[in-house]
Amino acid sequence: MTHGRFERGLFELYAEDPIAADEKTWGRRSDPQTRRGFLRSAGLSALGAAIGMSIPFSKGMPAGLIPAAFAATTQPFQIPGKESGLVVLNDRPLSAETPPHLLNDLVTPASRLFVRNNGIPPLTTSADNWKLEIGGESVQNARSFTITDLKREFPTYTYQLQLECGGNGRAEFRPRAPGNQWTTGAIGCPEWTGVRLRDVLEAVGLREDAVYIGYTGADLHPSGQPEKVVISRGVPIAKALEDETLIAFAMNGEAIPDLHGAPLRLVCGGWPGSASGKWLGRIDVRNRVHDGVKMTGKAYRVPCNPVTPGQNVADEDMCIIESMPVKSLITSTPSGTVHPRNTVVSIGGFAWAGDDSVASVDLSIDFGQTWTRSKLSPPANRLAWQRFERSVRFPRPGYYEVWARATDERGRMQPMLVPGWNPKGYLNNACHRIALRVV
Ligand SMILES: Nc1nc2c(c(=O)[nH]1)N[C@H]1C(S)=C(S)[C@@H](COP(=O)(O)O)O[C@H]1N2
Ligand SMILES: [Mo]
């Protein structure tokens, strides 16, 4: 790069050291006087040169935001049963996320649903001899069910339910949080069919002191040691007894795919994906908060009170994540598309809000200076994501970003910047942004 004091390309700098690149563009982080939310003129010309065009609303670009045009592109890697566009974050155990534009279906197809394995999937996932044990200290009559028993003894329900990993968005935390560096793609909303956990729990009988359920799956620990449990999490009884909490045997009208927990999985929509146990072999009804693997310590917990980024937090000051926060994703248009001037671009996507529903989704094309309301559809059922849509006209040629911001029915809104740093990088519900060019 030949502009001003930029000896190196901004793309390269952003890829390698986003903080240094950000300082070059906006001014020093340590000097709030130079960071009033305006690009330095050297920064503006460098950004314009890197993007290859002018930025009509550059005056409104807030400091500290890495232009969406610099977002990482996808890599080709084929997972059986998955589309090639999925991005593999880890292969042992397998974790892969879905780029936003592959999530444009109202009901997420199996081929496009993210995968998060903590261990090695079981070798045999045949439904025929599968057993689900229900036990624990707060159950009256411990019992084992085959899948045929479940289908015969209880009514079957179908719900469309969101599944989002608690760590979705982790890649944006600074200081960096360890774990899979999910960007935006650890979310999906398939249709699940199964029996209600409530009906099964009522059949075995709960004791008065029941407070929590905990699942155990049939997957193997990455160490290969058979006695080691991979993950065993759960939810409070109130969540377990909700209509939509399912012991599912089908996804999108077919047997659950192996990677997603065949032949039986728990689905607790709106809560961290880790509450939805795959390859479900056992449910314990507990007389205390379930203390299985990855329920304790810092796993799937955030500081009970806000902390300084990078701060050490004691385990006893960490609280279990329950309902996920309000969030949205622009899925109609991949980041980086080019549009002829004067065309109207239809911007659409999905919004969701954990246990609650979404009240509105607003869009901005001028870096958040003004917002317009989109058309928002009701969910297919409680805990399903909601479609938003709006035709957008861009006033003149140049580089734009489209920002989407959802608000839930309780008035809670997505933040523009990455919220509440936490040691494990959970719950990043910052607004989704895409880059777009008009020529
Ligand atoms: N038995 C078992 N259940 C599990 C996991 C696992 O590794 N083993 N991963 C959990 C996590 S962290 C998430 S986010 C979801 C991912 O579900 P998916 O792979 O079907 O998308 O499954 C959850 N259930
Ligand atoms: Mo997860």
Side-chain angles (χ1 to χ4, degrees):
M1 156 135 337
T2 53
H3 289 255
R5 283 168 285 145
F6 293 82
E7 302 90 34
R8 306 179 55 207
L10 275 186
F11 273 97
E12 190 190 336
L13 261 181
Y14 268 109
E16 194 175 288
D17 187 346
I19 291 175
D22 181 81
E23 285 186 356
K24 284 207 182 260
T25 317
W26 300 100
R28 289 273 295 278
R29 259 168 204 265
S30 53
D31 180 5
Q33 289 301 316
T34 65
R35 292 181 66 83
R36 291 208 188 93
F38 296 104
L39 278 163
R40 298 151 57 147
S41 58
L44 179 58
S45 58
L47 262 187
I51 291 162
M53 52 180 38
S54 74
I55 306 176
F57 290 117
S58 61
K59 273 212 169 78
M61 282 182 92
L65 276 170
I66 297 165
F70 293 130
T73 50
T74 60
Q75 92 231 9
F77 191 108
Q78 195 66 43
I79 308 167
K82 295 289 170 187
E83 288 189 29
S84 59
L86 263 70
V87 179
V88 176
L89 303 177
N90 193 355
D91 60 340
R92 259 179 295 171
L94 180 67
S95 288
E97 71 171 326
T98 318
H101 66 278
L102 290 184
L103 287 171
N104 200 38
D105 306 270
L106 179 62
V107 176
T108 311
S111 63
R112 296 180 167 187
L113 182 62
F114 79 98
V115 182
R116 182 2 175 173
N117 288 345
N118 287 265
I120 305 158
L123 287 174
T124 48
T125 56
S126 155
D128 295 341
N129 302 309
W130 197 266
K131 289 241 163 52
L132 172 65
E133 312 278 344
I134 311 280
E137 46 307 80
S138 297
V139 116
Q140 279 173 355
N141 306 297
R143 208 197 124 172
S144 151
F145 295 88
T146 63
I147 295 177
T148 314
D149 293 336
L150 293 174
K151 288 180 177 170
R152 194 180 47 225
E153 292 181 38
F154 307 105
T156 291
Y157 297 89
T158 298
Y159 297 109
Q160 203 196 332
L161 300 169
Q162 318 143 28
L163 187 69
E164 181 179 21
C165 181
N168 196 20
R170 176 180 291 135
E172 289 188 296
F173 283 102
R174 299 289 178 278
R176 192 174 179 275
N180 286 316
Q181 295 299 299
W182 304 109
T183 63
T184 57
I187 170 75
C189 198
E191 204 176 71
W192 304 93
T193 299
V195 298
R196 284 183 174 152
L197 175 59
R198 182 180 67 216
D199 291 343
V200 176
L201 293 181
E202 276 169 6
V204 294
L206 296 183
R207 292 191 196 280
E208 290 236 314
D209 62 354
V211 296
Y212 234 87
I213 63 106
Y215 70 77
T216 310
D219 41 347
L220 279 172
H221 194 268
S223 66
Q225 288 172 260
E227 67 286 354
K228 274 198 165 175
V229 174
V230 178
I231 183 169
S232 172
R233 305 197 68 249
V235 294
I237 284 294
K239 179 70 181 172
L241 298 182
E242 281 182 355
D243 284 356
E244 301 83 3
T245 301
L246 295 182
I247 298 175
F249 42 74
M251 188 179 111
N252 299 340
E254 291 175 32
I256 297 177
D258 282 352
L259 277 177
H260 297 293
L264 212 56
R265 90 176 284 176
L266 193 59
V267 186
C268 301
W271 283 43
S274 54
S276 295
K278 303 197 275 190
W279 309 292
L280 185 65
R282 185 177 174 88
I283 291 175
D284 284 294
V285 184
R286 307 297 316 270
N287 63 5
R288 68 198 75 166
V289 174
H290 182 54
D291 49 6
V293 174
K294 303 209 176 188
M295 253 337 277
T296 57
K298 292 187 174 55
Y300 303 104
R301 291 177 182 234
V302 290
C304 305
N305 297 301
V307 299
T308 311
Q311 190 182 317
N312 245 330
V313 187
D315 286 0
E316 60 268 27
D317 295 329
M318 300 285 283
C319 285
I320 298 170
I321 300 168
E322 299 198 329
S323 172
M324 295 290 286
V326 62
K327 201 164 173 179
S328 60
L329 197 65
I330 300 165
T331 58
S332 59
T333 317
S335 194
T337 54
V338 182
H339 303 263
R341 72 188 64 182
N342 294 326
T343 48
V344 169
V345 185
S346 171
I347 300 290
F350 295 99
W352 61 97
D355 277 343
D356 300 293
S357 61
V358 178
S360 56
V361 177
D362 297 308
L363 300 176
S364 178
I365 61 162
D366 56 9
F367 304 103
Q369 297 174 97
T370 61
W371 295 87
T372 47
R373 191 134 293 187
S374 67
K375 184 173 151 282
L376 181 69
S377 301
N381 49 254
R382 189 173 166 259
L383 311 182
W385 67 10
Q386 295 168 241
R387 181 77 188 173
F388 68 86
E389 205 96 46
R390 162 123 203 167
S391 293
V392 179
R393 189 180 290 281
F394 296 86
R396 53 189 186 278
Y399 171 86
Y400 292 88
E401 292 190 8
V402 185
W403 294 3
R405 187 184 65 190
T407 304
D408 74 13
E409 61 188 355
R410 295 207 255 159
R412 292 171 301 189
M413 191 180 274
Q414 286 184 264
M416 290 312 312
L417 296 173
V418 182
W421 183 92
N422 60 91
K424 301 273 277 176
Y426 299 121
L427 306 185
N428 175 8
N429 67 334
C431 287
H432 183 219
R433 308 148 59 208
I434 61 163
L436 182 148
R437 296 192 295 156
V438 174
V439 293

